[in-house]
């Protein structure tokens, strides 16, 4: 083998630190010697910190665990953030890094300057330190932070010293008695070394306690117990006293990785049951069936979304999922639950709970069962909570001078209660508020956290809006001045310039479609109009159809503040009475919106199609359009149906609809799925009021399908084009085939309850068998089955084309081999990226470097996927809240009763779906009933006091009548919808 002669390259990163060198082999087989040199500049090359009487130098752990405290508007002093800390935080947590950057730019109370300043200590001669022999990276970084604190203590203590006179100081330099710089650290060893070197250093708790009473009372509740976190991490005992360890200690990371590699341990996401707080599952790619975790001990302190490692139990210990509903709040009714309750070591329960524990009643088929033995990645975040009044001692509602341990109950029922210390229990008893988890010791039944901020009064629309945005992590901050400065200087006076007077080159590469008969078709009240369409006959007899999409990328340029904010938000969030925009209002509802009768910039996809809806050719071009009308779905349908209207616009709509019907038929023949999801419309009291008065199912118009088919066609066409041009970094969207095991329960229920089969071998087979799931006596039965089938699917996701194999690109639900999102750039950031790639593909102009880098695309799309899921959940939560308000208003006038379908049966309850309101609820019974796991039905006695009374059998897919009421939970003050069975049996006495 011939080895190429080695070459040498230098990576420069003035004065420089000692170079590091190593050899590497290139893809072409050449061997290169790489020299890494770290270049430094004198401090005079960097701007000094703004004048302020007192700075706090923070270490990495303070940022990671106390950022809620540091971010509070009342926090009094500015932060001096070393580059060392900034780099570490960016490596550990990108969301916290972004929060820290935003915090640095905020203003201090009273306009006393910025809240932070970054010191580039790794690039300054005076502050850069090399790693000593035998020194760990963490110890070196701690030393660098102490050195920086000493350096600034020295130069800031003398107001006469200029930057040019600064000299490198020793870390042992003593500060003056009026030290202007204090090191803020919760690491006791770091504090000890700092104080020994004459550097002022203090823990976060001690700093807060040194403030005046007013500030201390505000900030004390925000304090995360960092010393306890560090102690737990290092295996030391803390000041908290518990009787015994109630959970297993986690295995070491090296043991976990070795076990996963050997196939003895299994990794996956922790998914708690919504029906039983003592059960969860973990789906691992190596085992087809989800692994059951039964009991709090087996769940071992995992929280929803954590990536956990599971060890299987011996097969003779495998269980089936329990057949009863176990709700944590209900199980605590009548009990005074003390946050400092001593817990039982064996079961993780209080002694009273252990005595009351009943034998397991599950009879379902056993499935792989295991226990959590380690955590790969925590998914902890801030949680929206209510105060659990059952945990309050009487003194807590009167004292504001001492911190009281209380339980915060998350609004999400799959999150355990969180123990916090607070001085404001009385105030929080009527509020929704945010809580962060700090730790979960093996000696505690509950995680421990700290209060972050209040969101509003329980039950108020303002409080609920804030709550759902925080719960689903929807960014809703106002657009900053820096972002708004990226908008066109003309503001709403901006217009498309004349072709013959275009100094900025707006018309370069654009076609003039202003005379084309183009229209938009959208829901009522739509302001951010992304798309418009046209169709016309060509001289050769074929049809020209076009989709015109707002050219957002003309206004949103890569690497500016507006682009960064759009990437962070990821998507526009649509709530019932509010819209959280991805882009500033000027763009989203004006300059980019394809409003009628005005000229707008667009990106057009033009097809030539024959009368059988076959694509003859397709082209892509930037354009200028002038929409002739903005239709609602209903208005477009009426225009289509009115045969007296024969103008070009009406004929264009009919032509579009004709092609759309053919396109949909082709998709269905190829195996596309026609799934369903509950959709309702909330009717408000008036346009000015946000008080809901009624709920109705949405009316479906054929024009909805018209728009959908052409948007799908545009997305498929664009996906193929950008993948052809950028095979490694194209922004695409896929819908992976669901595991066949996801459908096993639905298949079994259909077979046993209705004698129907569900073929899930392919998407086409599933589509065909869904069409056969019909009950002549229940027209809505097929829709119900489609809704349940939809829940068996995996979620679609954005991905980078170079990240997965080509045969995994397909979209299962659409039966399309390749797909992307191009048609909604006003409200989806992924579409903005696709526009940039398509523009480069068709124009030949260079593409932004980031979109040619797989790592950049993957990282961006990971966040976009997360934001997309959060937006969907927030929208659903908003609908549920307003449906509950509407039902409450209706309930005041008359009882609210509705037909419902049973979708799951338990020994002590029924899960039902009310299609009229798009609601899923739980009907519970006070006592257990006979449950038949084979037929998925329960036997409910008509008279529970008479053992000989006949029983009514109710099972999955049965139609029942429920009464719907709303009530407020006495402990959490949370409003909730309650359903009781009315027919075929009244459950109120059961």
């Amino acid at each position: 083998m011939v080895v190429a002669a080695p070459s040498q390259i230098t990576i420069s990163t003035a004065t420089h630190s000692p170079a590091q060198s190593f050899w590497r082999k290139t893809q072409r087989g050449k061997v290169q010697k790489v020299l890494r040199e770290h270049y430094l500049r004198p401090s005079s090359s960097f701007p000094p910190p703004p004048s302020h009487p007192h700075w706090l130098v923070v270490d990495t752990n303070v940022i990671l665990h106390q950022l809620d405290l540091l971010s509070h508007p009342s926090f009094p002093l500015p932060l001096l953030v070393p580059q060392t800390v900034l780099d570490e935080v960016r490596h550990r947590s990108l969301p916290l890094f972004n929060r820290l950057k935003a915090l640095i730019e905020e203003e201090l109370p009273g306009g006393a300057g910025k809240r932070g300043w970054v010191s580039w200590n790794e690039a300054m001669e005076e502050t850069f330190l090399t790693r000593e022999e035998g020194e760990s990276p963490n110890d070196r970084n701690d030393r660098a932070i102490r050195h920086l604190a000493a350096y600034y203590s020295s130069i800031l203590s003398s107001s006469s010293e200029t930057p040019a006179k600064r000299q490198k100081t020793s870390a042992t330099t003593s500060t003056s008695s009026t030290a202007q710089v204090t090191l803020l650290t919760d690491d006791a060893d770091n504090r000890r070394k700092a104080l020994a070197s004459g550097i002022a250093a203090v823990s976060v708790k001690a700093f807060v306690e040194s403030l005046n009473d007013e500030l201390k009372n505000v900030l004390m509740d925000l304090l995360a117990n960092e010393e306890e976190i560090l102690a737990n991490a290092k295996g030391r005992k803390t000041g908290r006293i518990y009787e015994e360890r109630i959970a297993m200690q986690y295995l070491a990371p090296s043991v976990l990785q070795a076990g996963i590699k050997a196939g003895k341990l299994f990794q996956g996401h922790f998914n708690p049951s919504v029906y039983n707080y003592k059960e969860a599952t973990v789906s691992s790619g190596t085992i087809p069936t989800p692994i059951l975790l039964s009991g709090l001990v087996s769940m071992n302190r995992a929280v929803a979304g954590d990536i956990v490692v599971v060890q299987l139990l011996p097969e003779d210990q495998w269980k089936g999922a329990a057949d009863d509903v176990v709700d944590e709040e209900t199980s605590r009714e009548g009990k005074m639950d003390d946050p400092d309750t001593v817990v039982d070591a064996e079961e993780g329960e209080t002694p009273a709970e252990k005595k009351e524990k009943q034998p397991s009643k599950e009879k379902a088929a056993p499935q792989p069962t295991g226990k959590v033995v380690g955590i790969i990645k925590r998914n902890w975040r801030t949680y929206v909570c209510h105060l659990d009044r059952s945990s309050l001692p009487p003194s807590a509602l009167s004292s504001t001078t001492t911190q009281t341990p209380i339980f915060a109950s998350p609004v999400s029922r799959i999150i355990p209660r969180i123990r916090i210390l607070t001085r404001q229990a009385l105030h929080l008893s009527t509020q929704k508020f945010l809580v962060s988890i700090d730790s979960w010791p093996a000696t505690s039944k509950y995680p421990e956290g700290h209060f972050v901020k209040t969101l509003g009064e329980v039950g108020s629309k303002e409080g609920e809006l804030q709550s759902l945005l925080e719960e689903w992590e929807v960014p809703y901050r106002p657009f900053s001045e820096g972002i708004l400065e990226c908008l066109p200087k003309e503001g709403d006076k901006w217009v498309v310039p004349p072709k013959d007077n275009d100094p900025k080159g707006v018309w370069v590469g654009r076609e003039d479609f202003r005379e084309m008969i183009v229209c938009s078709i959208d829901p009522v009240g739509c302001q951010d109009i992304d798309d418009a369409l046209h169709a016309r006959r060509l001289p050769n007899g074929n049809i020209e159809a076009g989709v015109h999409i707002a050219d957002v990328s003309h206004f949103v340029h890569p690497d500016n503040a507006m682009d960064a904010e759009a990437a962070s938000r990821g998507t526009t969030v649509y709530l019932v009475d509010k819209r959280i925009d991805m882009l500033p209002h000027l763009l989203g509802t004006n300059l980019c919106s394809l409003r009628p009768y005005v000229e707008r910039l667009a990106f057009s996809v033009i097809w030539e199609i024959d009368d059988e809806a076959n694509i003859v050719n397709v082209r892509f071009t930037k354009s200028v359009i002038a929409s002739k009308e903005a239709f609602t779905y209903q208005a477009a349908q009426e225009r289509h149906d009115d045969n007296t209207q024969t103008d070009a616009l009406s004929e264009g709509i009919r032509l579009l609809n004709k092609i759309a019907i053919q396109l949909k038929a082709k998709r269905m023949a190829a195996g596309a799925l026609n799934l369903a999801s509950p959709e309702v419309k909330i009717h408000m009291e008036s346009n000015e009021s946000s008080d809901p008065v009624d709920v109705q199912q949405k009316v479906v118009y054929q024009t909805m399908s018209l728009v959908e088919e052409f948007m799908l066609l545009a997305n498929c066409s664009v996906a193929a084009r950008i993948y052809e041009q950028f095979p490694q970094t194209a922004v695409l969207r896929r819908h992976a085939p669901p595991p066949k095991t996801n459908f096993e329960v639905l298949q079994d229920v259909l077979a046993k309850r209705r004698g129907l089969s569900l073929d899930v071998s392919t998407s086409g087979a599933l589509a065909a068998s869904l069409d056969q799931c019909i009950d002549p006596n229940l027209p809505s039965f097929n829709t119900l089955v489609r809704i349940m089938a939809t829940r068996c699917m995996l979620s679609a996701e954005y991905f980078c084309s170079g990240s997965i194999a080509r045969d995994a690109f397909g979209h299962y639900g659409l039966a399309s081999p390749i797909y992307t999102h191009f048609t909604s750039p006003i409200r989806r950031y992924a579409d903005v990226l696709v526009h940039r790639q398509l523009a480069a593909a068709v124009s030949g102009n260079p593409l932004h470097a980031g979109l040619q880098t797989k790592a950049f695309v993957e990282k961006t799309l990971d966040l976009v996927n997360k934001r997309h899921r959060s937006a969907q959940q927030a929208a659903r939560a908003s609908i549920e809240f307003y449906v509950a308000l509407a039902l409450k208003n209706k309930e005041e006038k008359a009882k609210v009763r509705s037909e419902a379908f049973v979708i799951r049966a338990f020994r002590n309850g029924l899960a039902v779906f009310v299609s009229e309101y798009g609601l899923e609820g739980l009907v519970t019974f006070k006592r257990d009933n006979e449950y038949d796991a084979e037929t998925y039905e329960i036997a409910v006695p008509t008279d529970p006091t008479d053992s000989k009374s006949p029983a009514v059998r109710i099972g999955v897919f049965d139609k029942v009548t429920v009464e719907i009421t709303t009530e407020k939970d006495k402990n959490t003050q949370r409003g909730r919808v309650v359903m009781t069975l009315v027919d075929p049996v009244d459950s109120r006495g059961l």
Side-chain angles (χ1 to χ4, degrees), residues 738-760:
K740 293 181 174 56
T741 53
N742 285 17
F743 290 93
E744 287 179 352
V745 173
L746 180 57
Q747 287 174 306
D748 195 46
V749 174
L750 281 169
K752 292 176 177 177
R753 300 290 301 168
R754 286 290 189 273
L756 298 170
S757 62
L758 202 62
D759 185 351
V760 297

Side-chain angles (χ1 to χ4, degrees), residues 408-448:
S409 294
V411 296
S412 173
R413 294 182 181 274
I414 61 174
I415 304 298
R417 293 190 299 169
I418 304 167
R419 181 187 182 276
I420 65 173
L421 296 172
T422 183
R423 297 167 183 250
Q424 47 182 331
L426 177 60
H427 175 60
L428 296 182
S429 65
T430 60
Q431 300 289 308
K432 279 194 168 182
F433 53 93
L434 282 181
V435 168
S436 280
I437 295 179
D438 299 326
S439 64
W440 196 340
T443 49
S444 176
K445 185 179 176 183
Y446 299 102
E448 304 191 353

Side-chain angles (χ1 to χ4, degrees), residues 187-224:
D187 188 323
D189 188 53
N190 199 16
R191 282 201 307 275
R192 179 183 59 77
K193 291 178 179 178
L195 293 170
S197 300
I199 303 168
V202 67
S203 70
V204 180
K205 184 176 182 181
F207 172 76
V208 173
E209 289 178 339
S210 71
L211 301 173
N212 62 58
D213 288 344
E214 183 180 356
L215 276 177
K216 182 168 64 176
N217 289 337
V218 171
L219 297 178
M220 206 65 185
D221 283 359
L222 297 166
L223 194 65

Side-chain angles (χ1 to χ4, degrees), residues 436-464:
S436 280
I437 295 179
D438 299 326
S439 64
W440 196 340
T443 49
S444 176
K445 185 179 176 183
Y446 299 102
E448 304 191 353
H450 66 272
F451 164 82
V452 177
K453 66 177 180 180
T454 57
L455 300 173
E457 191 170 341
V458 172
S460 69
K461 281 188 290 230
E462 296 76 14
E464 294 297 333

Side-chain angles (χ1 to χ4, degrees), residues 12-47:
S12 297
T13 47
T15 304
H16 65 271
S17 65
Q20 296 179 338
S21 64
F22 59 91
W23 295 89
R24 75 176 183 187
K25 188 176 181 180
T26 68
Q27 290 182 342
R28 296 186 177 182
K30 293 183 179 181
V31 178
Q32 290 180 330
K33 184 179 181 180
V34 179
L35 297 177
R36 292 194 182 275
E37 296 180 318
H38 192 101
Y39 279 78
L40 303 173
R41 295 179 179 179
S43 60
S44 57
S45 301
F46 298 86

Side-chain angles (χ1 to χ4, degrees), residues 317-335:
Q317 296 181 31
W318 288 8
K319 302 178 179 180
D323 56 16
D324 52 356
V325 177
V326 184
D327 179 71
E328 185 177 14
E329 289 185 6
T330 304
S331 67
R332 293 196 312 270
E333 283 183 0
K335 301 176 185 177

Side-chain angles (χ1 to χ4, degrees), residues 513-519 596-597 625-630 649:
F513 291 159
R514 290 177 294 180
E515 299 303 317
M516 192 174 284
I517 308 300
V518 174
C519 70
Y597 325 124
I625 68 168
S627 175
K628 302 302 182 282
E629 188 59 77
L649 186 54

Side-chain angles (χ1 to χ4, degrees), residues 479 483-484 487 528 530 550-553 555-557 560-567 569-573 579-589 592-593 824-829 832 836:
F479 291 105
I483 294 168
L484 298 178
L487 296 170
D528 49 348
D530 287 286
D551 188 7
V552 172
S553 61
F555 298 96
V556 182
H557 303 142
N560 68 14
M562 185 159 59
D563 181 60
E565 182 67 13
R569 297 188 179 216
T571 182
T572 293
V573 181
R579 186 181 67 241
I580 312 297
D581 290 318
M582 183 184 81
L583 296 173
H585 184 77
L586 177 65
L587 293 186
T589 61
C592 289
S593 183
S824 295
I826 292 177
R827 60 184 179 90
R828 292 189 304 231
Y829 187 70
V832 177
R836 290 172 182 165

